[in-house]
Amino acid sequence: MNKLTVSIIIPVYNAEKSVSISLDSILNQSYPHIEVVVVNDCSTDNSQVVLEEYSTRFHAKGYSYVVLTHEYNQGVASARNTGLEHVSGQYVYFVDADDYIVEDCISTFIASMEGESIDIVGCNWWLKMKKDAREMKQPQVCDPIGAIEMMAKGVMRWNLWLFMVNRQLYEQNAIRFLDGINMGEDMLVMFKLFSHASSVKMIDRAMYFYDKSNENSLTNIYSDKHKKEVSLNLEALDSYFSQSRGYLEEKWREWVNYLKLNIKLPLLISDKRENYEEWGQWYSEANSFILKNNRVSKKIKLLQYMAYHRQYWFLRLYHFLVQRVMYGIIYR
């Protein structure tokens, strides 16, 4: 492997029906120097068999390919850490087991990173429904602190699969996921990575297909356990930035309130009163910042404002229009 190798990490848990799509999209890449590290987090289905069947195909193309298997289920955060401990490439990219990338995704990332010595390069993505796909755009930030602000204020996504990262950011700053804390794990790591990056670039093109059709609604994922995990990751991030000193520490005291509003927003994309009540109580100290966010849309501000004033009829109407009409009919 030469120094320009890209290491792609794929965490897998019970993905025998979808992981082939992800692996095929990597096999179809135009970039020649790829190392694939798949971490099977003790799947109970036939994922291991499927993963092993791909070994010959990857090696025939000249790609490095290894399947690591956990002896017991540890969660996606630990699976990501296992992957990071076994990669050797100069750049790291994560792909989820039920998603896929366009054939020149990696080469496009590399062209930007190598041509301009960029630490983190991001892109837009396709939100894939059962019958359709919608292009989702990231803001065109040009500096790492600006990226942190945009993520905190809810206008830039922090999903790992949206960014290729110089591996030295992970290694030189000892950045890893919190083992066993599996909700909000990408938030913690991407915020940390941006805080240490010297340069960032956004490619105004969608190169990743995120399959929403295989996922439960956002409101269904916020169980008490998931809320606790998100809170633990946020606490770790808050502690990390509160000790950073300088401009970031000063601005973080404000931005963390926008991030709290962003984190609990999915509770309002619901038709359940208990979710609305929970929204009001969770990170209630951030509610006074609803109208102060100069980046979030007026629509989101209105939704939060109505929730704060317990106008739940409006939230139910919004849920019907967005979930039932827009995503149920238009973008299905």
Side-chain angles (χ1 to χ4, degrees):
M1 292 291 172
N2 64 31
K3 70 183 185 70
L4 300 182
T5 297
V6 174
S7 296
I8 300 178
I9 300 173
I10 309 174
V12 172
Y13 179 70
N14 289 352
E16 65 169 312
K17 296 180 179 179
S18 62
V19 73
S20 293
I21 298 175
S22 177
L23 293 174
D24 285 342
S25 74
I26 296 172
L27 272 172
N28 290 332
Q29 290 302 296
S30 57
Y31 187 73
H33 307 295
I34 292 179
E35 169 188 69
V36 181
V37 176
V38 185
V39 183
N40 180 9
D41 191 27
C42 197
S43 296
T44 58
D45 63 0
N46 289 319
S47 292
Q48 184 72 18
V49 174
V50 175
L51 297 175
E52 291 176 353
E53 288 175 346
Y54 271 82
S55 179
T56 301
R57 296 173 62 185
F58 274 101
H59 292 145
K61 186 166 182 178
Y63 288 172
S64 171
Y65 179 77
V66 61
V67 179
L68 306 172
T69 305
H70 284 170
E71 293 184 0
Y72 60 94
N73 180 253
Q74 300 177 44
V76 68
S78 294
R80 297 192 195 284
N81 282 337
T82 297
L84 287 170
E85 294 300 324
H86 289 82
V87 296
S88 60
Q90 185 170 346
Y91 305 105
V92 173
Y93 186 55
F94 284 91
V95 176
D96 285 350
D98 51 358
D99 302 332
Y100 58 97
I101 54 180
V102 298
E103 64 181 14
D104 62 341
C105 174
I106 303 303
S107 61
T108 302
F109 273 133
I110 287 295
S112 291
M113 301 195 81
E114 286 298 305
E116 303 176 43
S117 298
I118 305 295
D119 281 334
I120 302 177
V121 173
C123 67
N124 301 333
W125 80 102
W126 291 101
L127 181 62
K128 188 176 181 297
M129 308 297 180
K130 292 182 179 180
K131 299 181 180 180
D132 202 355
R134 179 186 180 191
E135 183 175 2
M136 311 295 287
K137 289 183 174 291
Q138 293 275 68
Q140 290 298 302
V141 296
C142 57
D143 68 276
I145 300 302
I148 291 173
E149 180 182 4
M150 292 299 97
M151 290 191 298
K153 290 186 173 181
V155 294
M156 179 170 163
R157 295 283 292 263
W158 54 66
N159 304 75
L160 294 165
W161 35 262
L162 287 170
F163 305 97
M164 182 175 286
V165 178
N166 188 326
R167 187 163 67 93
Q168 290 305 307
L169 289 182
Y170 284 99
E171 304 308 325
Q172 292 177 356
N173 303 291
I175 295 176
R176 290 294 188 270
F177 302 86
L178 298 181
D179 286 327
I181 312 302
N182 302 305
M183 281 291 290
E185 88 289 356
D186 46 356
M187 171 190 68
L188 173 65
V189 165
M190 284 311 308
F191 271 90
K192 284 185 176 183
L193 289 169
F194 273 111
S195 74
H196 292 286
S198 60
S199 53
V200 57
K201 179 179 180 180
M202 300 302 297
I203 299 171
D204 189 17
R205 180 185 165 204
M207 299 193 294
Y208 190 97
F209 282 82
Y210 171 64
D211 193 347
K212 181 176 170 53
S213 65
N214 291 333
E215 183 189 46
N216 291 327
S217 69
L218 287 173
T219 51
N220 288 337
I221 65 176
Y222 270 175
S223 64
D224 289 341
K225 177 177 181 293
H226 289 149
K227 274 183 56 185
K228 182 178 180 180
E229 291 177 353
V230 171
S231 296
L232 288 172
N233 273 309
L234 180 56
E235 288 174 13
L237 180 60
D238 191 23
S239 176
Y240 194 79
F241 280 177
S242 295
Q243 301 172 26
S244 61
R245 299 180 182 179
Y247 177 79
L248 179 57
E249 179 188 6
E250 179 183 347
K251 296 303 294 184
W252 179 249
R253 297 191 192 103
E254 173 190 355
W255 294 348
V256 68
N257 291 287
Y258 301 133
L259 179 56
K260 289 174 180 178
L261 288 171
N262 189 15
I263 286 172
K264 65 178 186 172
L265 180 62
L267 290 170
L268 299 184
I269 315 301
S270 163
D271 59 356
K272 298 179 180 178
R273 183 186 179 91
E274 57 265 34
N275 287 342
Y276 309 153
E277 299 282 359
E278 190 173 5
W279 176 91
Q281 297 169 12
W282 194 21
Y283 296 134
S284 59
E285 69 276 9
N287 293 345
S288 61
F289 285 79
I290 289 172
L291 300 180
K292 298 178 182 179
N293 190 341
N294 62 352
R295 294 290 183 173
V296 77
S297 69
K298 292 180 180 179
K299 175 184 66 177
I300 296 301
K301 284 184 181 180
L302 178 59
L303 192 66
Q304 295 172 333
Y305 180 83
M306 297 298 274
Y308 182 66
H309 290 279
R310 303 173 66 88
Q311 298 299 307
Y312 297 154
W313 64 270
F314 182 85
L315 305 181
R316 292 193 179 94
L317 175 61
Y318 181 86
H319 177 266
F320 175 79
L321 293 175
V322 173
Q323 297 296 105
R324 301 293 178 84
V325 178
M326 183 178 294
Y327 288 115
I329 299 175
I330 301 175
Y331 294 123
R332 63 181 179 179

